[in-house]
Amino acid sequence: MIEAEQTVRDDLKSAMRAKDALRAQVLRTILAAAKNRAIELRIDELDESEFVAVVKREAKQRAESLDFARKAEREELVREHAAALAVVETY
C-alpha cells in the first residue's frame, strides 16, 4: 500500500474515533474512488501518481459542486461543500 493511501486510511480511523462525520465521509469517498480506479485499470493497487490523480479529480468535483451551490445561492450546501473541499485539499 502506498504511503498516501495509508495516510488517508489512518486519517479516516482518526476521524471515526473523533466522530467527525463529514471528514470520515470525504475520506471514504476518496478511498472508494481509488478502489474504483484500480478496478478500471484491472490492477490490485494504484501507484502514487494514480492515487494523486484520483485525489485531484475528487477535489475538482468538490470545487464544481461548490461553484454550483454558490450560483444557486444555497448557503447550507456552500458550507458543506467548502468543508469537504478543505478536507480533500489537505491531500
Side-chain angles (χ1 to χ4, degrees), residues 25-44:
Q25 176 190 12
V26 172
L27 296 175
R28 280 189 192 108
T29 303
I30 291 171
L31 291 173
K35 185 171 184 171
N36 287 338
R37 182 65 179 154
I39 291 169
E40 282 177 25
L41 298 174
R42 299 173 196 259
I43 57 176
D44 291 332

Side-chain angles (χ1 to χ4, degrees), residues 1-8 34 37 41 43 45-56 91:
M1 184 176 306
I2 58 175
E3 185 177 332
E5 184 178 356
Q6 187 60 46
T7 301
V8 172
R37 182 65 179 154
L41 298 174
I43 57 176
E45 193 173 291
L46 295 179
D47 61 3
E48 189 79 29
S49 64
E50 278 292 329
F51 189 80
V52 170
V54 167
V55 173
K56 285 182 180 180
Y91 300 99

Side-chain angles (χ1 to χ4, degrees), residues 59-84:
K60 182 179 176 187
Q61 287 177 352
R62 301 288 177 169
E64 287 175 356
S65 296
L66 179 60
D67 187 45
F68 288 135
R70 282 191 178 131
K71 287 179 182 176
E73 297 178 4
R74 303 273 314 268
E75 287 304 314
E76 70 281 352
L77 288 178
V78 169
R79 284 191 300 274
E80 182 181 323
H81 290 302

